[in-house]
Amino acid sequence: MKKLLSILLALSLCLVCVLSLAETAVQVVETSVPSTAREGIAIPAYVTLPADYDPETATGLVVMLHGHGGNHNEWGGYDVISNGVAANGKIVVTFDFPGCGESTESFQLNTQSNMKQDVLDVIASMKDRYKIDSVVAFGYSMGGRILLL
């Protein structure tokens, strides 16, 4: 009985945490970033800003990289993380690698060199658009590999 109550309490706490993230007010800006590796290509990007974002105040940037063949929000999983991070005052950017998600490019252009350059282009663009004082990045699957390279 104690074990069952412990499990129910843990599940309740998890549900409260998830619901509080879901109710968090954030701003999501759909944009694009010009590719420096591929002429005429725009990288689809999604910027999640805190609800009380102040363009005069420097803040950290979190860059999230999806897995091979995935998309900018990893089918909803990255949205939950982005919202939670933005609710804590950071700017979050996700984007689609070539041939993934909203990208208009062929998946054949989904090479490690193109992916690495896209990360650099997205970070440079965010630094141009927003007052950034630090950059943290993490990636899932192939996104993690790209960060290591």
Side-chain angles (χ1 to χ4, degrees):
M1 185 65 163
K2 273 185 164 180
K3 188 174 182 177
L4 178 61
L5 287 175
S6 295
I7 291 171
L8 289 174
L9 178 60
L11 289 173
S12 297
L13 289 173
C14 288
L15 181 60
V16 167
C17 289
V18 168
L19 290 176
S20 67
L21 284 177
E23 294 173 5
T24 302
V26 296
Q27 305 171 50
V28 179
V29 178
E30 291 187 31
T31 188
S32 63
V33 172
S35 169
T36 60
R38 299 169 313 282
E39 189 175 326
I41 294 300
I43 304 163
Y46 307 84
V47 182
T48 306
L49 301 167
D52 59 351
Y53 173 70
D54 177 6
E56 299 303 316
T57 303
T59 189
L61 172 69
V62 177
V63 183
M64 297 171 53
L65 288 68
H66 67 77
H68 188 66
N71 65 12
H72 68 276
N73 68 1
E74 286 294 357
W75 297 280
Y78 273 12
D79 287 345
V80 174
I81 297 168
S82 296
N83 291 349
V85 171
N88 283 291
K90 305 297 182 206
I91 296 172
V92 181
V93 63
T94 61
F95 60 96
D96 290 318
F97 285 122
C100 299
E102 298 299 316
S103 169
T104 58
E105 296 181 88
S106 165
F107 192 72
Q108 291 176 337
L109 295 172
N110 191 284
T111 64
Q112 289 183 13
S113 60
N114 283 342
M115 294 164 78
K116 287 189 300 185
Q117 189 58 53
D118 284 1
V119 173
L120 297 174
D121 290 344
V122 167
I123 291 171
S125 178
M126 294 302 105
K127 285 182 169 183
D128 286 344
R129 296 178 194 193
Y130 302 99
K131 198 170 184 178
I132 304 295
D133 61 9
S134 61
V135 178
V136 174
F138 74 90
Y140 174 77
S141 190
M142 180 59 83
R145 178 181 172 97
I146 296 301
L147 286 176
L148 291 173
L149 296 173

